[in-house]
Structure formats: C-alpha cells, structure tokens
C-alpha cells in the first residue's frame, strides 16, 4: 500500500509552507517528557518521519511513535495514507453528493436513522413548532460541518416566539432539525447528557464488507462527543469490547474510568454489538462507488441507529501509552485493499 508520487509531493509542499520549527520543537519537548526521552533525537526523528514516512507531526505524537520500533510504526495508519486511500478508492463526486451534506445523507439513509427530522428549507415556523411539540428536546445542525461543530441542542420550553426562533435558525444555517436520540441505558450510565457514539470504519470490496477500525467515543455532557466538545475515545476489539484506557489523542490524559460517571472504560462493551455489525454490513453496500466509510452509530434501547457517514473516515489509532498495544490498523487495511 503505497502513496503515489504526486500525492507525496503535494503533502511535502504543504509541510514546507506550514513549517514552523519552534512549534515542532515544543511538540518534541512534550513528547520527550511523556516518553522520558531526549528532545533533540525526537525532533530529528519527527522531521525524518514527515519527509520520508508520510507521518504528520500530530500523527507521530498521537500514535506514540517515540516508543515504537520502525517495524511497529509500519503497522499504523497515518493521516496522509488514510486520505490517499479514501480519494483513491472512493468516487469523490458520489461521495460528496451523499456524505458531505447531512441533509443529503439523511435522505439517502433515512431507513436507518431511527429518528424524525426536518429540512427547514421546505418547512415553516409552524411546522417547526409542531415538531417541537412531539420532541420537546431537539437537535439543530448546520448541514455541512465537521468534528461536532454546528450541532446545537434546544428545548421547546425555552422558546416563546416560534417565528423569531425559526428565522434565527435559518440565519445561522441550522437547517437540519432532528429528534433527540435516546441511547441505550448502559451507554447512558457512562454519560447521560451526551449520545456516546460508536465509530466503525468499513470497506466493501464488492462482495464482502470488512470492518477495519472500531472505536467507542464518550461525551462529557455536551451536545456532541467529539474532541472539540471534550470527548475522548477507546479502541474496540472485534467483539466490541474496549482494549484499554480512553484518551483523546492530543494530550497525555488517560481515562481508566469515565471522569464524570466513574464507569470503567477498560471494561466497556458496546451493547447489541452483533446488531451494530449487521447494520454496518447492510449500509456499507448501499453506495458501492464509495466503499471506504467511517460510520457513526448510536445504540438505542432497541438497536443501533445511523448518525452519519464520513467518506474520509478520520484517523483513529491506539496509543501505546494508554493501552500498551503496539500494533495499528494498517495490516487490516492492507489485507483487503489493493490499488
């Protein structure tokens, strides 16, 4: 699995444009402190890895490359490699048409959403008010947004003027309105205020669906469990069980237990795991022109429901400092992908 020369040249050119030795040195110092190693060799190794091993500086940090051998590093995905795979195997136009806009995604995968939703482009304030009567707590989303940005939670009891509220939502481009998801009681024990979602990255080879990456995300009470809202994650094994402590990838804070509820992260098991796998196996075949997808799934009391799909799946790998695991997901990718 190799990145072609053109993609590598673009990557290096971007690295050079944004090269900031002071910032890289600071990151090398942080890494050295965490791994109890000298800063200068790490600094040099980061530059070498960026130039010749397709490893962004943040990838080097998040995958704990400072404590991995060269052979172990080769088992980890990097941001550049993953982006290259997504662009190479996915039809970009079809992917953008179906996955970038949350409205388009909801239309295409409505059967699997498990929740009512509105598109304010063709609904008025009265329709919004009626929706809120059925769902007194509801979610508003900016249709094109990433990493949990553009997601808001509202309560009908706080709204007195529905026309003014409708106009406010439209002015802020919060055009997608969704019923609040009720999550499985087991997940609510970890964090009741946030829907704690499962990220599954799949690849459809035209015959079989292969699950390549399994991740459980945990929230801290905000509207989203993304890192930008204070969330963190743990990797999962093939049975949907946590493989170690949780972390958010960008600092040295690790969680044996959820910091708010105290529930064990190490002992976590995704409820209704077989049903989650069955859902992904089905939806992954719907658009065969886009075979490589990172799916976000919520598990409700009666089964899993689909949140969204990401045609560039997002990089999730275990941190050796958090889990002790010294092998990444690249072999799983290489076992089923050829290009």
């Amino acid at each position: 699995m190799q990145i072609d020369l053109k993609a590598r040249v673009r990557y290096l050119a971007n690295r050079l444009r944004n090269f900031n030795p002071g910032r890289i040195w600071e990151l090398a110092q942080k890494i050295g402190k965490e791994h109890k190693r000298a800063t200068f060799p790490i600094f040099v190794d980061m530059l070498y890895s960026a130039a010749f091993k397709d490893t962004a500086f943040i990838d080097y940090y998040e995958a704990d490359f400072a404590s991995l051998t060269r052979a172990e590093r080769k088992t980890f995905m990097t941001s550049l490699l993953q982006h290259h795979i997504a662009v190479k195997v996915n039809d970009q136009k079809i992917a953008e048409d179906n996955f970038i806009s949350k409205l388009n995604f909801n239309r295409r995968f409505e059967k699997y959403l498990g929740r009512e939703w509105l598109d304010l482009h063709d609904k008025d304030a009265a329709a919004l008010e009626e929706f809120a009567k059925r769902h007194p707590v509801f979610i508003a989303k900016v249709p094109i947004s990433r990493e949990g940005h553009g997601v808001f939670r509202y309560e009908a009891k706080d709204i007195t003027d529905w026309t003014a509220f409708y106009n406010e939502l439209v002015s802020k481009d919060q055009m997608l309105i969704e019923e609040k998801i009720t999550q499985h009681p087991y997940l609510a024990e970890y964090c009741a205020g946030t829907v704690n979602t499962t990220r599954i990255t799949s690849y459809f080879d035209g015959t079989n669906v292969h699950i390549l990456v399994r991740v459980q995300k945990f929230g801290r009470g905000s509207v989203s469990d993304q890192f930008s809202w204070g969330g963190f994650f743990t990797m999962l094994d093939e049975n949907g069980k946590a493989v170690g402590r949780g972390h958010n990838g960008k600092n040295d804070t690790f969680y044996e237990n959820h910091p708010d509820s105290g529930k064990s992260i190490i002992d976590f098991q995704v409820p209704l795991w077989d049903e989650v796998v069955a859902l992904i196996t089905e939806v992954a075949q719907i658009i065969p022109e886009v075979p490589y997808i990172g799916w976000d799934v919520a598990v409700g009391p009666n089964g899993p429901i689909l949140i969204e799909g990401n045609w560039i799946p997002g990089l999730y790998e275990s941190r050796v400092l958090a889990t002790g695991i010294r092998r990444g997901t690249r072999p799983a990718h290489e076992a089923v992908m050829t290009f």
Side-chain angles (χ1 to χ4, degrees):
M1 184 177 288
Q2 298 294 329
I3 297 175
D4 62 41
L5 181 60
K6 186 180 296 185
R8 181 170 283 109
V9 169
R10 286 197 302 267
Y11 164 76
L12 289 175
N14 184 62
R15 291 286 90 195
L16 289 172
R17 280 195 301 271
N18 296 287
F19 184 65
N20 185 329
R23 188 168 57 187
I24 300 166
W25 180 259
E26 289 179 1
L27 184 57
Q29 287 180 311
K30 180 177 176 65
I31 293 170
K33 182 179 179 181
E34 292 180 15
H35 292 263
K36 298 178 173 57
R37 297 175 183 271
T39 299
F40 183 71
I42 290 176
F43 178 76
V44 173
D45 192 35
M46 289 173 67
L47 295 178
Y48 173 81
S49 299
F52 300 106
K53 298 298 180 180
D54 311 320
T55 305
F57 302 125
I58 195 63
D59 294 342
Y60 186 100
Y61 172 53
E62 291 181 3
D64 289 330
F65 273 21
S67 288
L68 297 176
T69 66
R70 298 290 180 191
E72 289 168 340
R73 293 180 188 186
K74 289 180 180 179
T75 70
F76 282 75
M77 297 290 287
T78 66
S79 300
L80 175 62
L81 180 58
Q82 187 190 62
H83 186 276
H84 180 68
I85 291 172
V87 171
K88 196 79 172 181
V89 304
N90 290 332
D91 183 307
Q92 189 165 341
K93 184 180 186 310
I94 295 176
E96 291 176 348
D97 287 346
N98 288 277
F99 292 96
I100 289 183
S101 168
K102 293 176 173 60
L103 287 167
N104 288 350
F105 180 85
N106 279 16
R107 294 186 188 100
R108 188 66 185 266
F109 293 93
E110 184 162 16
K111 173 183 174 182
Y112 307 95
L113 299 182
R115 59 196 183 278
E116 187 181 359
W117 62 282
L118 287 181
D119 178 357
L120 293 188
H121 288 98
D122 55 17
K123 300 295 181 182
D124 59 14
L128 176 61
E129 184 176 6
E130 285 299 314
F131 182 94
K133 287 179 180 178
R134 296 190 296 277
H135 311 293
V137 180
F138 57 93
I139 305 299
K141 297 180 179 180
V142 176
I144 299 177
S145 59
R146 296 181 57 201
E147 299 178 350
H149 300 294
V151 180
F152 305 88
R153 183 165 51 206
Y154 295 103
E155 295 190 37
K157 67 181 179 59
D158 298 328
I159 302 162
T160 56
D161 186 333
W162 283 95
T163 299
F165 178 65
Y166 172 89
N167 291 334
E168 178 184 350
L169 292 181
V170 171
S171 70
K172 294 178 178 179
D173 196 32
Q174 297 174 29
M175 304 300 289
L176 172 58
I177 309 299
E178 294 186 340
E179 171 187 354
K180 178 181 176 291
I181 292 170
T182 299
Q183 63 184 331
H184 193 283
Y186 175 76
L187 291 167
E189 290 178 6
Y190 279 82
C191 180
T194 305
V195 177
N196 306 286
T197 60
T198 306
R199 166 64 64 90
I200 306 289
T201 299
S202 66
Y203 176 69
F204 178 47
D205 65 11
T207 302
N208 299 307
V209 174
H210 306 273
I211 293 181
L212 306 178
V213 183
R214 310 163 191 85
V215 173
Q216 179 62 40
K217 295 185 281 186
F218 298 93
R220 300 291 306 277
S222 298
V223 70
S224 171
D225 59 10
Q226 295 283 0
F227 304 147
S228 54
W229 292 92
F232 62 96
F233 72 93
T234 184
M235 304 294 287
L236 303 169
D237 66 16
E238 62 184 11
N239 297 309
K241 187 180 185 305
V243 298
R245 295 184 293 173
H247 58 91
N248 70 7
K250 293 182 171 61
N251 61 44
D252 57 354
T253 301
F254 305 115
Y255 303 98
E256 290 190 12
N257 302 299
H258 194 286
D260 303 315
S261 66
K263 292 283 292 181
S264 173
I265 301 300
I266 294 172
D267 296 327
F268 176 83
Q269 168 70 55
V270 177
L272 307 177
W273 176 249
D274 289 344
E275 294 182 35
V276 172
V277 172
L279 172 65
I280 297 305
T281 301
E282 183 171 346
V283 299
Q285 300 179 63
I286 291 176
I287 308 179
E289 298 88 351
V290 188
Y292 185 49
I293 295 291
W295 306 95
D296 284 330
V297 177
V299 181
N302 301 313
I305 60 176
L306 201 56
I307 304 296
E308 65 179 14
N310 303 271
W311 76 274
I312 298 179
L315 185 63
Y316 289 90
E317 289 282 16
S318 178
R319 290 195 66 182
V320 66
L321 291 183
T323 66
I325 295 172
R326 308 179 70 88
R327 181 180 175 86
T329 65
R330 183 167 176 170
H333 285 75
E334 293 179 330
V336 299
M337 292 181 173
T338 56
F339 55 84

